């Protein structure tokens, strides 16, 4: 089964107007032309679609309640990577790299 990963170099997110669903999405870009669209499902009880890959393009799905946590990670952590792994059906993720214990926030 396919596995891929890339380090995120830039991100942007959208809050769309006049939509009844799919109101927010996040775009993660890698330095090698990789592109990951992160879709947010508003119904907290809805099953999430599986992550998908098409070449260097990826789609990941999260519940809308997870958006603030993901934005916080993108703003405050580095490096951030996208891992696509559909071997077990639900192993794709947005992740930090290894970080030292007790690093804390820089003031």
């Amino acid at each position: 089964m396919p596995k891929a990963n890339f380090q995120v170099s830039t991100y942007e997110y959208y809050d769309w107007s006049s939509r009844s669903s799919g109101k927010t999405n996040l775009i993660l870009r890698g330095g090698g032309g990789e592109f990951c669209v992160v879709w947010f499902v508003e119904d907290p009880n809805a099953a999430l679609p599986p992550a998908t890959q098409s070449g260097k393009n990826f789609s990941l799905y999260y519940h809308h309640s997870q958006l603030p946590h993901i934005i916080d990670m993108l703003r405050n952590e580095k490096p951030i990577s996208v891992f696509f792994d559909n071997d077990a059906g639900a192993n794709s993720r947005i992740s930090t790299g290894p970080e030292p214990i007790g690093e804390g926030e820089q003031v």
Side-chain angles (χ1 to χ4, degrees):
M1 293 299 223
K3 291 185 182 187
N5 68 74
F6 69 91
Q7 189 168 325
V8 176
S9 57
T10 63
Y11 76 95
E12 55 192 280
Y13 72 98
Y14 303 90
D15 283 316
W16 298 98
S17 171
S18 304
R19 289 191 177 183
S20 59
S21 65
K23 294 180 181 181
T24 303
N25 69 305
L26 176 65
I27 308 294
L28 308 174
R29 298 178 194 271
E34 304 90 350
F35 186 88
C36 180
V37 179
V38 182
W39 300 97
F40 293 92
V41 175
E42 293 179 32
D43 181 351
N45 299 312
L48 297 174
T52 61
Q53 176 186 12
S54 177
K56 289 185 174 186
N57 297 323
F58 304 87
S59 292
L60 274 61
Y61 299 86
Y62 291 85
H63 287 109
H64 201 271
S65 63
Q66 294 173 280
L67 175 62
H69 173 75
I70 294 171
I71 294 297
D72 182 67
M73 181 176 20
L74 291 166
R75 289 182 175 161
N76 295 301
E77 305 292 340
K78 65 180 179 183
I80 300 292
S81 296
V82 170
F83 290 89
F84 178 79
D85 178 357
N86 65 358
D87 278 351
N91 285 327
S92 297
R93 64 199 180 276
I94 302 166
S95 175
T96 66
E99 298 197 27
I101 300 292
E103 179 182 28
E105 288 188 32
Q106 301 295 320
V107 182

